[in-house]
Amino acid sequence: MPLPLSVMIVDDDWDTTYLFKLYLARLGFDSITFTDPNSALAHFQQNPGRYRLVLLDWSMPRLDGLALAKKMRTYNTRVKILFITAYFIQDLIEKHDLMQAQITDVMLKPIWPKDLGVRIEQLHSRDVDTIT
């Protein structure tokens, strides 16, 4: 029996991480949540090969999602990173920055659980590392 897909969820809003975790559990995904990006990074440094997917919020205090993604990439270049943001991403980040951080895909909030599940299944099933 294959192990479930392990997902790290990082968002400074506890309610969001909790809801994502509940929904992903119903879909059979193993996940861990963090509301502090620095704690998430410390955990990721200790477990760089544990996760196949990281869900990252763009806007977080102390360390934004783009900076966190770049730091995570120093420990694992293969993990897929799904950026989740309430902002229109093209207004905030150059495509070059997303590619440099090797962001796999982007979803805009609000995110419906069904849509998140579909996107995660797509990312899990395809062999794509970054957006193009």
Side-chain angles (χ1 to χ4, degrees), residues 18 21 23 26 50-51 54-55 59 62 66 73 80 84 92-93 95 98 101 106 112-113 125:
Y18 180 74
K21 183 174 179 68
Y23 185 68
R26 281 192 220 147
R50 178 175 174 189
Y51 301 98
V54 178
L55 305 182
S59 179
R62 296 177 296 285
L66 187 62
R73 286 290 179 213
K80 293 178 181 167
I84 297 176
L92 298 174
I93 308 172
K95 187 173 182 179
L98 291 174
V106 177
W112 300 106
S125 66

Side-chain angles (χ1 to χ4, degrees), residues 103-122:
I103 302 301
T104 310
D105 208 349
V106 177
M107 286 187 81
L108 294 177
K109 291 179 183 177
I111 296 172
W112 300 106
K114 178 181 154 199
D115 296 334
L116 179 62
V118 168
R119 185 69 60 93
I120 289 172
E121 289 286 354
Q122 290 170 341

Side-chain angles (χ1 to χ4, degrees), residues 54-102:
V54 178
L55 305 182
L56 284 183
D57 184 32
W58 154 255
S59 179
M60 296 182 285
R62 296 177 296 285
L63 187 64
D64 68 50
L66 187 62
L68 179 56
K70 288 178 182 179
K71 289 177 185 254
M72 287 178 155
R73 286 290 179 213
T74 65
Y75 300 97
N76 183 334
T77 59
R78 301 280 304 154
V79 66
K80 293 178 181 167
I81 298 176
L82 176 58
F83 229 39
I84 297 176
T85 180
Y87 304 102
F88 188 63
I89 204 80
Q90 284 79 9
D91 289 345
L92 298 174
I93 308 172
E94 295 292 324
K95 187 173 182 179
H96 171 76
D97 291 331
L98 291 174
M99 292 175 67
Q100 184 182 28
Q102 299 175 354

